[in-house]
Each structure stands twice: as C-alpha cells, then as structure tokens.
Amino acid sequence: MIEIPSDLHKDLVPLAFLLGNWAGAGVHDFPGSEKCNFGQEVSFTHDGRDFLEYHSHTWVLDNDGNKVRPLESESGYWRIDASRKVEVTMTRDDGTVEIWYGEMADKKPQIDLVTDAVARTAAAQPYSGGKRLYGYVKSDLMWVGEKQTPEVELRPYMSAHLKKVVTPEDVERWAKALPDDMPDDGIAFFK
C-alpha cells in the first residue's frame, strides 16, 4: 500500500512509493571484489521540504544468512521535477560522491538513474560511473545497480529485493483508519 503523508511536499508525490524503511537481501558481484550475498536496510524519509532523505546500509551475509561485516553505506537526497526528472546527490562511505540524473517511468513506480558526476577522495576505490534501476513491484522495492571503473566496463554489480518494514505505529495508524462498521469476526468479513 502506498501512503501519501499529508505533510509531504507536493512535488514529491510521485516518489511517495519510496517512503519508509525497507529491509531485504541481494547479491554483490564485481571483478576485484568478493562475490557475496548481502543484507540491506534502506530508509527514505522527508521533513516537508522538496527532497527525500536516503540512507542505505549493506553487510555481507554468510551461508546461514548471518551478518559477517559491513559492505557499503551511502546517503543522499532525492528530488523530482514537474517533468518527472529525478536528481540524486549521494555520498558513499568509501569517499565517493555522486550526482545522478534520471527519470521516473510513465504511469508506473520505476526510476532509471545514470551518474552525471563522480568525485573521489584519495582513499576511494577506482570508479567512473554507474546506472541504477529502482522499481516498486507488488509492494516490494527492487533495485539493480551497474558500475564501471577505468579497468571494468559498465556491468551489473549489486541487486536486491526489499520488503517494507512495518512498525507497531503503522499497524495502529492503519487500525484507526478502518471503518467503524467492520464485522466483529473475521469470517463475516469474507462472506
């Protein structure tokens, strides 16, 4: 279910499907790096201004699905204009700063992004750009990332399938929104 908060900036309504906390798992595979399964937690929040705040943390998972160590963290800000053009500023824990541009698909919650600018500190790994695709599919958030370095052509390197994290506050808010004339037993509701 996509909720549009009453205090969400009007320009951000097309991005409302991203709002909330998400958790799930995915696969990381890039030449020169360890191939692994990873866990991920993502949050998209807003404070009434014309951007979404974004945070992502990933960690390597062992064969039993247990956390082994951190993999990547990134944070940034997402904006969208009236023509559905999306811009993202992002900072990664390895010393990389990126500016992404893209657009939201017509009539569906899907965003395609491409790096426009990349800046790296001396400590950052070689990286020259990337692409990302985010989509809201059957109430889940799915994404795939591609990247390139001076030595490796653009190729997929990470993808994940994330589920919305439901809090007790969410359940309470949804319960309060139910109509007063709901049947008092679950069986009558389905008749």
Side-chain angles (χ1 to χ4, degrees):
M1 168 175 35
I2 299 174
E3 289 187 59
I4 301 174
S6 60
D7 60 341
L8 183 67
H9 191 283
K10 65 179 177 50
D11 294 350
L12 296 175
V13 169
L15 298 179
F17 72 94
L18 294 170
L19 285 171
N21 296 312
W22 302 86
V27 177
H28 176 273
D29 182 12
F30 196 77
S33 299
E34 174 187 10
K35 181 177 180 178
C36 65
N37 292 326
F38 68 89
Q40 183 175 26
E41 292 176 349
V42 171
S43 70
F44 285 94
T45 60
H46 73 96
D47 64 8
R49 292 183 282 175
D50 69 342
F51 58 83
L52 296 182
E53 189 170 350
Y54 163 79
H55 295 279
S56 170
H57 299 281
T58 60
W59 55 90
V60 174
L61 297 175
D62 66 17
N63 290 336
D64 296 323
N66 299 310
K67 290 182 181 181
V68 176
R69 67 183 168 285
L71 182 60
E72 292 184 356
S73 295
E74 54 190 30
S75 60
Y77 300 92
W78 292 54
R79 290 181 168 82
I80 188 167
D81 68 16
S83 64
R84 301 173 68 86
K85 302 294 185 207
V86 177
E87 69 174 39
V88 178
T89 56
M90 193 178 302
T91 303
R92 295 179 186 229
D93 62 355
D94 72 350
T96 303
V97 178
E98 301 161 294
I99 297 174
W100 298 79
Y101 285 105
E103 62 185 319
M104 190 157 176
D106 190 34
K107 299 181 184 174
K108 61 182 173 179
Q110 177 181 308
I111 301 168
D112 287 287
L113 296 170
V114 177
T115 51
D116 180 66
V118 174
R120 298 181 305 111
T121 65
Q125 296 292 319
Y127 173 68
S128 50
K131 290 183 175 184
R132 290 206 185 166
L133 171 64
Y134 290 83
Y136 185 75
V137 180
K138 297 182 180 179
S139 299
D140 294 345
L141 183 61
M142 302 172 89
W143 71 272
V144 62
E146 298 179 51
K147 78 176 185 179
Q148 66 185 27
T149 70
E151 297 81 25
V152 180
E153 290 187 22
L154 185 69
R155 66 174 298 252
Y157 82 106
M158 283 181 100
S159 62
H161 185 158
L162 308 173
K163 301 256 182 212
K164 188 92 173 237
V165 176
V166 178
T167 66
E169 294 79 18
D170 292 331
V171 174
E172 182 178 347
R173 188 176 66 254
W174 297 335
K176 287 179 180 177
L178 290 173
D180 291 332
D181 62 347
M182 290 287 291
D184 59 2
D185 66 11
I187 297 169
F189 180 74
F190 292 102
K191 289 185 179 177

